[in-house]
């Protein structure tokens, strides 16, 4: 059940953007799909939504190949970070087009959201600021009847108030519909509490997959005098380090051996998701 | 000394975007200029950088009117959130143009930053993603010799790693040059620790101005059972409220009277800058 992505590869010319992606989205969860700029997230989302074809691999929904099956495709909505709407078209008209494509559309809900976000639906898409383009696309995504909703950088250009309103509306929609949401965002710190499961993509491959809670349980900062920290970290999976004056810190992923004796000079604390992400995905040379 | 903005008004047709703005940027500080989408921030920045003219009011640098004085204007650099560069031009060429306009340019520093951000300066501007457009514009802003650097949404589209790198480079540049930076951003939570002073704009007017520390010292969340919270909050400047199950919270700005007795059922804690901002700038009807 759900969406299964099997061994997806995608090559643009000589550049292999996706190098064998396997993952699964089960019904009724909120996922984070995290990766750096250029990691291949948008390409993967476009393949799942059958907007582009993979070089190899399959995407199925409840066992049916998505790109061959209209009833499967109707269950998937992708809010793209790119602006695909015609600039001269009024927002109301664009909602009608969405209804035609997806068979139905919740206009009552759309009007409620537009009022909350102070968006006038009589405007033309091309007149909207970056923030309001995101808001319009979010409203569409929340109101289509699809069971799997993918949001690619939904927060681009939103001010802090609109982001808070969006998080609240997303959670309310989720609580009522039990649909599956998959969010790709760079604002990991703000989103972390909303996500149940997370996939981290690096260089076209899945680096980390799991429940957010389990992933964070394995992520630590070991801090103290450099010599003591390095001694304590020996044999652990050190993914980064930092120093502030005389304090040295090693970031570790994969858990620490509970048998180790923690010296009094060294402290051990858990990382938040954004800090873990940064350290896991930094390129060589970045600290 | 510094930049003085006096009674700036700006009207576009019937819409009064700025309604008498007074503020001052003194040398060697980092300012946050915060406001919602549409509050007038970008208009104000464009007026300060003499890219557009105000309907009324003046902007001076060390007493000289900026728009009349080239030597004053050379001391101001505005990194705009809009993309003003020709799409077909190579980045290297754009750096040369900047050098011509500002008299000098730190190429060594620009090359170091480009390497850190993995930006190839032989590319054309139009080929860059949203994130890399921001990165290129940031590099220019850090390398021009201007003493007052205005950054309008510098973090748009940056991934978490690049944002962290940017914050570090900004602080390093600031420590070495003691220039003045003015940052307009929606990512208030991440930026708060870097800012010394803050201006909050609402509906074309300055709502709050001051040292971040002093501003936050006056901002509280009062939480507990609704009846007790409302009783304790009586007479205070309540700027918003929230509830979670049986817990009710009032957001207060302007300090609380120390003489008041805090009941055991009620807790009092300080707000962070983003939460304060959201509550101060929410429109009626938004909660």
């Amino acid at each position: 059940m759900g969406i299964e992505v099997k061994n997806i590869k995608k090559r643009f010319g000589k550049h292999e953007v996706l190098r064998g992606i396997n993952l699964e989205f089960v019904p009724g969860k909120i996922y984070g799909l995290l990766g750096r700029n250029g990691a291949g997230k948008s390409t993967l989302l476009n393949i799942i939504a059958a907007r582009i074809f993979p070089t190899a691999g399959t995407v199925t929904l409840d066992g049916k190949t998505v790109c061959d099956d209209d009833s499967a495709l109707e269950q998937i909505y992708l809010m793209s970070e790119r602006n695909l709407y015609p600039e001269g078209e009024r927002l109301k008209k664009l909602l009608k087009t969405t209804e035609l494509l997806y068979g139905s559309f919740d206009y009552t809900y759309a009007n409620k959201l537009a009022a909350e976000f102070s968006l006038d639906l009589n405007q033309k898409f091309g007149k909207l600021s970056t923030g309001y383009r995101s808001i319009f696309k979010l409203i569409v995504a929340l109101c289509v009847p699809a069971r799997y909703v993918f949001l690619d950088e939904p927060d681009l250009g939103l001010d802090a108030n609109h982001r808070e309103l969006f998080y609240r509306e997303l959670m309310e929609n989720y609580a009522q519909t039990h649909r599956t949401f998959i969010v790709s965002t760079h604002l990991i710190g703000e989103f972390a509490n909303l996500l149940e499961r997370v996939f981290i993509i690096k260089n076209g491959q899945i680096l980390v997959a799991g429940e957010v809670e389990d992933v964070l349980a394995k992520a630590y900062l070991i801090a103290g005098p450099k010599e003591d920290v390095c001694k304590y970290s020996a044999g652990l999976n050190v993914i980064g380090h930092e120093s502030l004056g005389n304090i040295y810190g090693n970031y570790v992923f994969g858990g620490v051996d509970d048998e180790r004796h923690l010296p009094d000079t060294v402290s051990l604390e858990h990382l938040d998701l954004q800090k873990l992400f940064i350290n896991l995905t930094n390129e060589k040379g970045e600290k």
Side-chain angles (χ1 to χ4, degrees), chain A:
Chain A
M1 283 289 286
I3 294 179
E4 275 187 275
V5 171
K6 279 191 191 150
N7 201 27
I8 288 286
K9 296 181 182 177
K10 180 69 183 180
R11 181 185 286 279
F12 290 110
K14 281 189 177 171
H15 185 43
E16 201 173 11
V17 178
L18 299 176
R19 304 188 293 151
I21 297 275
N22 291 289
L23 44 80
E24 203 182 344
F25 301 112
V26 302
K29 296 271 175 203
I30 299 191
Y31 292 86
L33 180 69
L34 309 179
R36 298 199 54 181
N37 272 326
K41 300 183 302 297
S42 298
T43 304
L44 178 60
L45 295 180
N46 278 311
I47 288 172
I48 293 173
R51 292 191 188 167
I52 60 175
F53 290 100
T55 310
T58 55
V59 178
T60 56
L61 170 58
D62 299 348
K64 293 176 188 167
T65 304
V66 170
C67 62
D68 295 339
D69 190 302
D70 282 351
S71 70
L73 198 49
E74 261 177 19
Q75 294 307 321
I76 294 176
Y77 185 80
L78 167 58
M79 169 194 165
S80 168
E81 38 100 49
R82 297 187 58 190
N83 293 308
L84 305 167
Y85 292 118
E87 302 260 313
E89 207 71 90
R90 287 186 201 282
L91 306 182
K92 276 194 169 163
K93 180 81 183 294
L94 295 172
L95 298 184
K96 282 258 180 265
T97 316
T98 311
E99 183 186 5
L100 286 174
L101 281 168
Y102 281 83
S104 74
F105 189 83
D106 190 339
Y107 286 99
T108 313
Y109 185 29
N111 285 321
K112 174 192 165 253
L113 291 172
E116 281 184 352
F117 282 101
S118 312
L119 173 66
D120 174 5
L121 293 171
N122 289 309
Q123 285 176 96
K124 291 180 178 168
F125 185 75
K127 292 283 179 198
L128 302 180
S129 65
T130 306
Y132 269 103
R133 285 177 191 223
S134 295
I135 287 170
F136 176 68
K137 293 190 293 182
L138 279 174
I139 291 178
V140 174
L142 290 174
C143 298
V144 289
R147 281 190 297 134
Y148 295 85
V149 179
F150 292 80
L151 305 171
D152 197 3
E153 298 200 33
D155 34 42
L156 194 72
L158 293 196
D159 64 33
N161 313 51
H162 281 154
R163 292 202 304 278
E164 199 171 75
L165 182 57
F166 162 51
Y167 303 148
R168 197 158 48 220
E169 286 297 339
L170 178 65
M171 294 318 288
E172 216 169 291
N173 188 300
Y174 175 64
Q176 282 176 15
T177 64
H178 293 290
R179 300 194 286 172
T180 300
F181 289 95
I182 300 96
V183 184
S184 177
T185 179
H186 293 311
L187 303 188
I188 303 170
E190 287 196 358
F191 251 103
N193 289 330
L194 280 64
L195 306 175
E196 294 169 80
R197 298 190 182 177
V198 67
F199 294 106
I200 298 180
I201 297 193
K202 185 177 179 180
N203 298 329
Q205 291 185 306
I206 300 289
L207 188 68
V208 171
E211 302 279 331
V212 172
E213 208 177 316
D214 300 344
V215 168
L216 291 180
K218 295 188 287 182
Y220 292 93
L221 169 64
I222 300 170
K226 184 167 181 176
E227 203 183 310
D228 299 357
V229 168
C230 290
K231 202 168 159 193
Y232 184 78
S233 314
L236 300 178
N237 179 30
V238 176
I239 55 173
H241 59 86
E242 207 155 17
S243 48
L244 185 70
N246 287 325
I247 306 289
Y248 186 86
N250 266 339
Y251 295 104
V252 165
F253 185 61
V256 298
D257 183 344
D258 282 329
E259 309 276 299
R260 281 167 196 252
H261 171 68
L262 187 73
D264 290 343
T265 52
V266 174
S267 71
L268 192 66
E269 56 184 84
H270 278 289
L271 300 185
D272 62 34
L273 190 58
Q274 180 157 310
K275 206 74 189 166
L276 171 65
F277 173 85
I278 290 173
N279 281 283
L280 279 172
T281 60
N282 266 344
E283 294 297 327
K284 246 184 252 168
E286 290 181 336
K287 42 170 189 174

